[in-house]
Amino acid sequence: MRIFSYRNKRNLRITLLIILGAALLIAAIVFCRFLYLGRYIKYENGKAKLDYDQKIVPTGTLSEKPDPADFPFETDLNVLPADGETPTLELQLNGYYITTTMLMKHLDEVKAALDDLQGCNAILIDVKSVFGNYYYSSELPGSVKADADIEAIDALIKELASTPKLALIARVPAFSEPNYAEKHQAQALAMSSGALWMDGRRCYWLNPYDKSVQGLLCSIALELKTLGFDEVLFDDFYLPNDDDIRWPYDDITRPEAVLDAADNIAANLEGSGLGVCFGTREPAVAEYADRIFVTTDQASQVDSVMSSVKDMMEAPERQVAFLTVSRDTRFDACSVLHPLLDLN
């Protein structure tokens, strides 16, 4: 009998088709299971785990009217006595910025560098990371302190705040906030599956159109004012351009939502004596800012940025500030801050 007779070949073909069909069915089940479990995945400290206890927001249930009981911060924030205009806003900044890496790993070097500074009229400090951790002793409900020498950083902030003729600026990531987003998922950006959207750093982002999110940022700013900061920079003030993000509103576009956030934050902080700054290149956002900050090492962009906001700002040479490692003298046409330490 021939092993590969017609009948044997036919039977073998049928057997292989059955095996292939079973394999495809198993693969489909595994894939569907993966999609289902995806909504329960949480990322902590660079590791993924399943959390079946977290509250998942179903598609179509996000609302611009959050539950007031879900938000501990005051949203009507014109509560501080008016201190008049912030004197530092009249300065064309010439100084340095201190990153979270410098605070965490090189604090002694930071202190030494500050002791040697001359001809500097501004210092910017990262007081909060994109991961939602605070680099000072925040008393806001739910705040998570960074794994750094917070007591020493508090002392550094106090010393700088008491330094005459020095503009002290706090930098806060506007909407990248994994810690807060995990606890207030209805106020975060979500995907169609209901799972929270995350960026390339695995950070959850908050919804800029949510009034409670706007209130949170104002609350942070007011706390920083009490610590002696003259200005607060809400950096990365934009919405990520990603089709995976489900936008739950029909009556407002994403750019309009960002402008709404800028408008409300600036209005709520008016009269606080605190300069309100945004990290943006959008001229429309500049209309609501005391300053805008642009991070770039391309000096060729100076003229174009300043020209784009000249109708929105009275004095672009001081109201446009560049954060750059470049020493190109073209940046001197406006406010400019360089890194305090060279970590390259």
Side-chain angles (χ1 to χ4, degrees), residues 7 34 72 87 126 156 166 168 195 201 214 230 249 274 295 306 309 328 336 340:
R7 180 179 297 177
F34 176 78
D126 282 350
L156 176 65
L166 181 72
L168 186 59
R201 295 171 296 203
Q214 297 172 13
D230 301 297
Y249 312 110
L274 186 70
T295 301
M306 294 181 69
V309 301
D328 194 306
V336 59
L340 181 66

Side-chain angles (χ1 to χ4, degrees), residues 33-99:
R33 180 64 174 168
F34 176 78
L35 289 180
Y36 175 77
L37 291 176
R39 64 181 64 190
Y40 295 103
I41 295 177
K42 288 180 62 176
Y43 293 91
E44 294 181 353
N45 301 321
K47 298 180 180 180
K49 68 176 184 179
L50 293 176
D51 183 1
Y52 294 102
D53 295 326
Q54 64 173 310
K55 296 179 180 179
I56 303 300
V57 181
T59 300
T61 62
L62 287 181
S63 170
E64 65 180 89
K65 298 179 180 179
D67 181 0
D70 191 37
F71 184 67
F73 302 101
E74 181 64 62
T75 55
D76 183 13
L77 294 168
N78 288 313
V79 293
L80 290 186
D83 294 334
E85 294 296 326
T86 307
T88 61
L89 293 176
E90 300 302 320
L91 295 175
Q92 182 171 336
L93 304 181
N94 176 27
Y96 299 89
Y97 62 85
I98 302 171
T99 65

